[in-house]
Amino acid sequence: MKREKRLSLALCGLVVLLLAGACRAQPTATPVPPTPQPMFTEVPQPTATPTQTAVPTETPTPTPDPNVNPLTGEHVADPAVLQHRPILVRYGHDRESRPQSGLTSADMVYEELAEGNFITRITGVYLSEIPPVVGPIRSTRLAVFEMLFQLDAALVDAGASDTIMWMLSTVPQYPQFRHVGYGAEYFFRSADKASPFNLYVRLPQVRARLIADGTDKPVHVHNMVFSASPPQGAAARRVHIPYPGQAPVDYRYDAASGTYLRFVEGVPHTDALNGRQLAPANVVVIYCEHKKTDIVEDSLGNTAIMVWWVDTGRAQVFRDGVMVESRWSRPQPAEQMRLIDADGKDIPLKPGQTWVEIVPLDYKVTVG
């Protein structure tokens, strides 16, 4: 009962936090006369030195390299591409949505369980590379708030349930683009798929709008640590994540590329823009308590899932063909997640793309 009460209070606390964070009015788009929607097939493919004290209380944080992407640990040719805020894009992951467009360009990707226990939703994080088009675009869920808080990002989605739309309205400091409202002119329906699996957005125009409206800014991402040196760990060449229904995931380590090839329902998961199989350098599984709420999400009456992603919990880091048992740490909602070992030291990721798989506490991830 105490746990139930704490989770109920936590959800209430989330709403209070959202209300407290509202600081400016959300821009309202001017209605645009309907125009013929372009065909999707027409889109081209493509530090300060620490002050010495008698009793140091913390380890000094080194000055970030302005030429290194803080989300990937990779050097960029032009540091100007990092002087922006990340853009979160909500993807559908139903069979009808696959293959999605643009995921190979994401710096990070989050995957979380959706209501109904048959599918997951995916959130791509874009900073250093902006593909010409991304999608299919789907709706926001509760877990997305935790991503916004951590990255101070903008959001691209297809709306949400009434309750979550109200919650989103309380945090206008995170610019929100959707096909009905702000930035609607950047969305279009593809003729290649049926609705609701055919909504796409031109991401470069979203970035340009952020700049034009003065809501773009560099974001201080400070809790991601990278190293090219492989860590010590248990062999992990195959990883199976038992997401339900249409979403079971497998990763197979490819020694030639040093990445984990991604499969969904046993089939290679590819990017529609370039045909490439998704292959992150890192796969991070974080175990979080999942709790049903009374927020109705669909016409079937399925209710939203609250992911308890504050405090600390178990994590597994997969890179270079090995697994490192670890902990995720996030003491406060406004803080970014750290990955730490038993001594509280940061576990470095391999430079490159990272997929964060959010799973319930009782999930049995198979490693081989």
Side-chain angles (χ1 to χ4, degrees), residues 3 287-288 308-315 326-331 338 340 361:
R3 188 61 165 173
Y287 294 78
C288 301
W308 186 256
W309 193 355
V310 178
D311 198 6
T312 187
R314 182 189 178 197
S326 58
R327 305 287 294 176
W328 61 264
S329 176
R330 188 172 168 238
R338 292 176 60 201
I340 57 176
L361 295 176

Side-chain angles (χ1 to χ4, degrees), residues 233-314:
R237 304 187 72 83
R238 290 177 177 259
V239 183
H240 174 72
I241 303 174
Y243 285 129
Q246 301 179 17
V249 172
D250 289 278
Y251 289 99
R252 301 175 192 173
Y253 182 66
D254 177 56
S257 63
T259 62
Y260 281 88
L261 301 177
R262 179 178 161 92
F263 297 78
V264 179
E265 295 191 279
V267 177
H269 191 183
T270 59
D271 187 328
L273 289 188
N274 51 34
R276 289 162 44 195
Q277 186 170 3
L278 305 178
N282 308 282
V283 177
V284 177
V285 179
I286 64 171
Y287 294 78
C288 301
E289 186 163 6
H290 286 53
K291 190 70 176 178
K292 286 188 176 181
T293 70
D294 59 0
I295 301 173
V296 177
E297 289 287 9
D298 59 28
S299 60
L300 300 177
N302 291 312
T303 56
I305 299 171
M306 183 181 72
V307 176
W308 186 256
W309 193 355
V310 178
D311 198 6
T312 187
R314 182 189 178 197

Side-chain angles (χ1 to χ4, degrees), residues 6 19-20 35 43 58 78 81 83 88 124 164 253 267 299 306 309 329 360:
R6 182 167 73 87
L19 286 169
T35 56
V43 178
E58 61 182 25
D78 180 7
V81 302
Q83 300 304 304
L88 304 186
I164 294 180
Y253 182 66
V267 177
S299 60
M306 183 181 72
W309 193 355
S329 176

